[in-house]
Amino acid sequence: MKNMELIQHLLKMLKTDYLLNPLQRQYENVHRVAEPPGGPGPAQLSPSLAAMSLQSSTPEALRVVNLLQERNLLPPTPVPAPTPCLPQDLQKINCNPEVFRCTLTSIPQTQSLLNKAKMPLGLLLHPFKDLSQLPVVTSSTIVRCRSCRTYINPFVSFLDQRRWKCNLCYRVNDVPEEFMYNPVSRSYGEPHKRPEVQNATIEFIAPSEYMLRPPQPAVYLFVLDVSHNAVETGYLNVFCQSLLDNINALPGDSRTKVGFITFDSTIHFYNLQEGLSQPQMLIVSDIEDIFLPTPDSLLVNLNECKELVQDLLKSLPTLFGKTMETQSALGSALQAAFKLLSPTGGRMSVFQTQLPNLGVGALQSREDPNQRASAKDIQHLSPATDFYKKLALDCSGQQVAVDLFLLSAQYCDLASLGCISRYSAGSVYYYPSYHHQHSPAQVERFQKDLKRYLTRKIGFEAVMRIRCTKGLSIHTFHGNFFVRSTDLLSLPNVNPDAGFAVQMSIEDNLDDMQVVSFQAALLYTSSKGERRIRVHTLCLPVVSSLSDIFSGADVQAMTGLLACMAVDRSVTASLSDARDAMTNAAIDSLTSYRQSVLTIQQPGLLAPACLRLFPLYILALLKQKAFRTGTSTRLDDRVFAMCQLKYQPLFYAMLMIHPALYRVDDLTDEGALNINERTIPQPRVLQLSVEKLSREGAFLMDTGTVMYLWIGRNCHPNFLTQVLGVPNYAAVPENLYLLPELDTAESQRTRAFVGWLRDQRPFYPSLHVIRDESQLKANFMQNMIEDRTASALSYYEFLLHLQQQISK
């Protein structure tokens, strides 16, 4: 009987579409489509295959979940990206979701179908991510579509050996003669086996026609606040020492240039020309009309003048040690730096410790702490002046990116200052209350961030274009850049830690298409002076039913895109508008699912399994520093959180939105990873609720940029002695931020786990060990998203609110 059931089951499978979800892949070999010799392009999938619905058996993604009954929905391990329902041949070569992913892994045939699904459509990119295996092709001919300029990729189809069909505009192109030779196999006549057609991510070394001018050298200009406030923080010592330690690791070649400007109420330049016995300081006191000394003496070849640069770095901290100058002419310093970098382009690194209060770009405090605590709508999220945006656009036009390091205990108006980085494709780093003595954890983070910043890969004079299959259109971009034309982003610098998002719409029906493709092409100059193009191509199926759209929803990508949209909404409209829009996104998608996909109506708050975490993530966003109300969130802290949500790649942004909580006092080797001969424990991820804490335990919370190790009052003495090196709870130091290196198995396990979490991201999260009495306990508790706070609902209350709105 069992055999008969199995045969019937297999026969049933034969009748259904084999473009099913990953759980059904085991049946693929039963039902294979013969592939023509050109390799598997979308044009070779039979139309009947694409037309079949995925509904014939309910995939796991569409399993009905009653959110009010099933409360423990958080998986024990990080949430993976959904796998698009493509034939295995295409899926195997599809783009890595860490680099390129879509909010919907099944694309609706029409805009009206998308509107009915009530889910956002967009892409999230991490285009310059550090990759361990990146195929690099050197070719005099880069094969592109003659009509739409798409780069040849794994999802084109070869009609024969001599012709290929573009997967974006469907034009038939000729295969160039030189493309017939495969440099990898050293064989002739197999164009479909070349690396460009086998890899969804590839890098080309570009020929001369991709250059408007000779590739620029790596140029680094450091602009340093040396006012009394700056000297008090002690940041200058750390900066100078970091640059001294890493000066030989700055990306570049024999042409690399560096320069320094310091400023308070005046601007100071440094002549570092070869032949001088020591650096010369040149002071310009007229900050209204800055006289620029000879640029060649201020931006010098690093290899030729390294000793002078090192001398300057050793003397800078003491040079201003006794200053009583309290004013800051940041705007004038930026103008001078721009003039200096304009001829070449390059990277400007600006270190600022207070509100600029002198000359152009001067700002006044706009923060009223009394209004902060209760206001539902937050004022001053937009810039106070357009000076910094205008200067950023000038910088962008001259291939200059500005990175801003803000180290301040007071309000600095990041909403205004941040524009200098946002529109020039720079980054913002923020260290509130930085002080070399009072905040050792911040000092450690600043040191680690600086090392990464100075030594990470960099691309100069870059542009990025995103293309998509005919019928789709891209309309809104998110990230740090300037949009030069409708689909071209200007990126004077591109770095491996920058993420981007784009919103999309469906302009024409995609009825006759089985798959669509998206391609991001990043053209940049490497630090070694090579012009390179990095190309990522993503392929997704087109579907005609709402259930298929829902089963392909990528809940984390949707959350990331909504966060970007909500930041824009907060600035252009209001914070309460943005909060309402996020709540409505959850209400609308679950209403659509209930009305249009569910066949049997039943009571409760129902969601498909793939969206079961959506309300939790939306609630997490509402409680995130960027969007929360009713708490004493400082304005700069809020604006910085908004900057990060727009700029961080999705993987890092999700930790900021929904932190990970682990119990770490009982780590074992069971299920551990082995990486580089290190054993990394893998504790399960816990719900963010006080219910999950125990006074007998120790819990690690990872919020992306900060980690908290919470020690329960009755924590087992074994953990305290073996991991923290203290005899009892009372002996845990108040400001502990380093785990001692003890020669115990428990210490090694805990440090290995924390180290592994840190290794997974480019920036350095500081660690704070906290007890019940610690000041930072409130920060830890604020991340307990599922619990009620004075100004926000608990998760269960939020679900009841959603249910009430849906059943109206």
Side-chain angles (χ1 to χ4, degrees), residues 281-504:
M281 180 167 145
L282 310 157
I283 300 173
V284 176
S285 51
D286 181 1
I287 60 168
E288 296 301 320
D289 184 20
I290 292 172
F291 164 74
L292 201 62
T294 319
D296 288 347
S297 65
L298 307 180
L299 272 180
V300 296
N301 184 293
L302 178 59
N303 292 342
E304 293 166 6
C305 307
K306 191 175 287 179
E307 282 186 18
L308 279 173
V309 170
Q310 289 168 324
D311 288 347
L312 176 65
L313 291 170
K314 286 169 188 167
S315 62
L316 261 183
T318 52
L319 205 55
F320 298 95
K322 299 208 165 41
T323 183
M324 297 312 289
E325 183 59 76
T326 57
Q327 292 186 301
S328 167
L330 173 68
S332 303
L334 290 173
Q335 286 180 330
F338 168 62
K339 279 185 187 174
L340 195 51
L341 282 176
S342 286
T344 54
R347 182 176 78 187
M348 190 194 305
S349 310
V350 180
F351 296 78
Q352 172 75 0
T353 69
Q354 64 183 61
L355 199 66
N357 54 13
L358 190 67
V360 291
L363 298 167
Q364 292 178 327
S365 180
R366 299 190 289 161
E367 183 170 52
D368 177 1
N370 300 323
Q371 188 202 26
R372 196 168 63 197
S374 59
K376 191 177 180 202
D377 267 325
I378 308 298
Q379 304 300 310
H380 310 309
L381 292 173
S382 48
T385 168
D386 62 1
F387 169 79
Y388 294 97
K389 178 178 179 178
K390 280 182 172 172
L391 185 56
L393 296 181
D394 290 341
C395 285
S396 180
Q398 298 300 317
Q399 303 297 348
V400 174
V402 184
D403 295 322
L404 179 63
F405 289 78
L406 207 52
L407 308 104
S408 174
Q410 268 76 46
Y411 172 70
C412 263
D413 199 350
L414 188 52
S416 300
L417 295 185
C419 294
I420 192 72
S421 299
R422 180 177 167 193
Y423 295 103
S424 68
S427 327
V428 176
Y429 294 81
Y430 177 52
Y431 306 89
S433 306
Y434 180 92
H435 193 275
H436 67 112
Q437 282 179 320
H438 306 322
S439 53
Q442 288 274 42
V443 174
E444 187 198 26
R445 185 162 77 90
F446 181 46
Q447 283 172 323
K448 293 286 203 297
D449 284 353
L450 260 183
K451 180 176 180 180
R452 164 77 180 169
Y453 173 75
L454 294 169
T455 59
R456 72 184 178 188
K457 194 173 172 177
I458 185 170
F460 295 99
E461 46 186 351
V463 287
M464 182 166 71
R465 185 171 255 128
I466 300 168
R467 297 179 171 89
C468 49
T469 295
K470 199 165 64 175
L472 295 163
S473 74
I474 287 165
H475 56 79
T476 309
F477 295 91
H478 301 277
N480 290 2
F481 50 76
F482 171 60
V483 183
R484 197 180 289 173
S485 63
T486 50
D487 62 347
L488 189 72
L489 305 187
S490 169
L491 306 168
N493 289 181
V494 62
N495 72 70
D497 308 331
F500 301 87
V502 290
Q503 290 165 244
M504 306 188 59

Side-chain angles (χ1 to χ4, degrees), residues 33 42-52 514:
V33 184
Q44 289 133 12
L45 301 178
S46 78
S48 60
L49 234 139
M52 289 178 184
Q514 296 154 38

Side-chain angles (χ1 to χ4, degrees), residues 758-772:
R758 279 177 167 155
D759 290 346
Q760 289 183 333
R761 68 204 67 162
F763 45 86
Y764 185 82
S766 51
L767 175 72
H768 297 278
V769 178
I770 53 174
R771 306 184 304 174
D772 260 0

